[in-house]
Amino acid sequence: MPEKKKRLLFIVSLTGVFGILLGLATVFDLQVSHILADGNLTEGRYYSVNVLCNLVEIAGAWPIWTAAVFAASVLTVYFWAGGGIRRSFSLFFFCLSTVCAALLLRDGLKYAFRIYEREELLEGPGTWLVSVVFGLAVAIVVLKLTGEWMKRNLERLLPFALAIVCCCSCFFLIELIKSPMGRMRYRGMHLLGDTSCYTPWYQKSAAGELLTGSGLVKDCFKSFPSGHTFSAGMSYILMMLPDVFPKFRRKTGKILCCVIPVCYTGFVGIFRIAAGAHFFSDVLVGGTLAYVAVLVFKYVFLGREKQRIKLSGGRAA
């Protein structure tokens, strides 16, 4: 079958499966949350009491920060190797790598302190200082351990890094949707003991305005789509590895590069529902956006290399 027909068939199949799942989610969102969150939420408490749910909340989004640190490190090496005025860009990407590593820790601490009711520890410069020092240490260690290897492999790593940056940048789309939609989280409804504020994913919610003064945090009205699942979905970047590194082009490598991110993203999505943080449609849209972003930028930045390898009879560069 010609490549274009295969691609078209894949797009149609993906759209069909997504449409069916989204239709089911539209009908059964509330029921799924009732089932999965049962026993994980207690009266008078916003966050889950399930340890695994809380662990996912704290660390489930780390793939996006890890990928961003790697990509920024590659770009740091690339611009430094260029010499001259390019080295000023190298400093920018080194700072970006530091910030992403710092946010990885800061993000985890934020959720940990909130879940275990120690949010006062987030106040003041303390946690930011610790996070920045951690980020700086990570950025330096990454360059120290892999800098020479990155320099030797810049030709293949540069398009990979650019694809990662574009994929991670799509997270801003998630944030642009969340606040305007204002969908109330299931755990907020559970806390109030009232599901009348439930709205389907496609409907803008007025719950935030109606419940002003109820004591609920703003985060309670950012259910759709799931940022955690999108961030976990950045693990789909592993699917690019066979186009970048020859050792992943074997059948086993390709299978693992697909199975691992699918399982990880699905795991995070299920436990976000179980925590009452999201509905089925929230995690479905968040995870699918991540998958589509990876596919699009994989094709844009790595498609040419894949075609070149195919024309050369499958021989690695």
Side-chain angles (χ1 to χ4, degrees):
M1 185 183 293
E3 190 67 27
K4 287 186 177 180
K5 285 188 176 180
K6 285 183 180 179
R7 193 177 299 124
L8 180 61
L9 181 61
F10 174 76
I11 292 172
V12 170
S13 301
L14 178 64
T15 304
V17 171
F18 173 73
I20 291 171
L21 290 175
L22 188 59
L24 291 171
T26 304
V27 176
F28 298 109
D29 252 352
L30 200 54
Q31 292 91 323
V32 171
S33 289
H34 278 318
I35 294 169
L36 292 184
D38 183 44
N40 297 326
L41 297 170
T42 59
E43 186 178 348
R45 180 176 166 83
Y46 180 65
Y47 290 99
S48 173
V49 294
N50 182 294
V51 174
L52 197 50
C53 287
N54 292 337
L55 183 61
V56 167
E57 185 134 16
I58 293 167
W62 284 0
I64 192 170
W65 302 119
T66 305
V69 168
F70 173 78
S73 298
V74 170
L75 292 168
T76 299
V77 172
Y78 170 74
F79 284 108
W80 185 263
I85 195 171
R86 287 188 177 187
R87 290 193 171 179
S88 59
F89 291 101
S90 179
L91 177 61
F92 168 79
F93 284 106
F94 176 76
C95 291
L96 180 61
S97 176
T98 299
V99 169
C100 290
L103 287 173
L104 182 151
L105 179 62
R106 168 73 182 183
D107 202 45
L109 290 175
K110 177 183 71 175
Y111 286 112
F113 291 155
R114 286 178 177 174
I115 288 168
Y116 297 107
E117 300 178 345
R118 297 299 304 275
E119 197 167 357
E120 72 277 2
L121 295 175
L122 288 172
E123 298 174 3
T127 53
W128 273 115
L129 181 61
V130 171
S131 298
V132 170
V133 171
F134 172 82
L136 183 61
V138 168
I140 292 172
V141 169
V142 169
L143 288 177
K144 187 71 174 177
L145 295 179
T146 65
E148 287 300 318
W149 171 78
M150 287 179 178
K151 190 174 180 180
R152 291 195 303 269
N153 294 278
L154 275 177
E155 185 178 353
R156 67 177 63 178
L157 288 177
L158 181 59
F160 184 37
L162 292 174
I164 291 173
V165 169
C166 290
C167 288
C168 293
S169 297
C170 290
F171 182 80
F172 292 109
L173 178 62
I174 298 287
E175 289 301 306
L176 285 173
I177 297 172
K178 271 181 176 289
S179 294
M181 291 302 292
R183 192 182 198 190
M184 190 173 179
R185 297 183 191 270
Y186 178 80
R187 61 190 179 193
M189 299 177 195
H190 182 274
L191 184 63
L192 293 178
D194 183 7
T195 58
S196 63
C197 289
Y198 169 81
T199 52
W201 63 270
Y202 55 83
Q203 182 179 326
K204 185 176 179 179
S205 175
E209 299 172 7
L210 294 173
L211 295 172
T212 300
S214 64
L216 294 174
V217 294
K218 290 182 179 180
D219 176 73
C220 187
F221 307 101
K222 294 184 176 182
S223 185
F224 178 82
S226 170
H228 261 75
T229 312
F230 177 90
S231 299
M234 285 298 98
S235 59
Y236 285 121
I237 287 168
L238 292 175
M239 296 193 305
M240 298 184 190
L241 293 182
D243 295 322
V244 182
F245 303 108
K247 64 181 179 181
F248 290 101
R249 290 175 191 150
R250 296 175 183 174
K251 187 175 181 180
T252 302
K254 289 183 176 180
I255 290 174
L256 288 175
C257 288
C258 289
V259 171
I260 291 173
V262 167
C263 291
Y264 180 78
T265 307
F267 176 83
V268 170
I270 288 171
F271 278 93
R272 292 306 282 154
I273 301 172
H278 292 289
F279 295 99
F280 178 26
S281 56
D282 301 336
V283 302
L284 176 64
V285 172
T288 302
L289 281 175
Y291 181 67
V292 170
V294 169
L295 288 184
V296 169
F297 293 114
K298 176 177 180 285
Y299 177 76
V300 170
F301 289 100
L302 301 174
R304 186 177 299 176
E305 174 67 9
K306 183 177 179 181
Q307 186 64 23
R308 189 181 67 76
I309 292 171
K310 188 175 291 186
L311 292 174
S312 65
R315 294 187 298 274

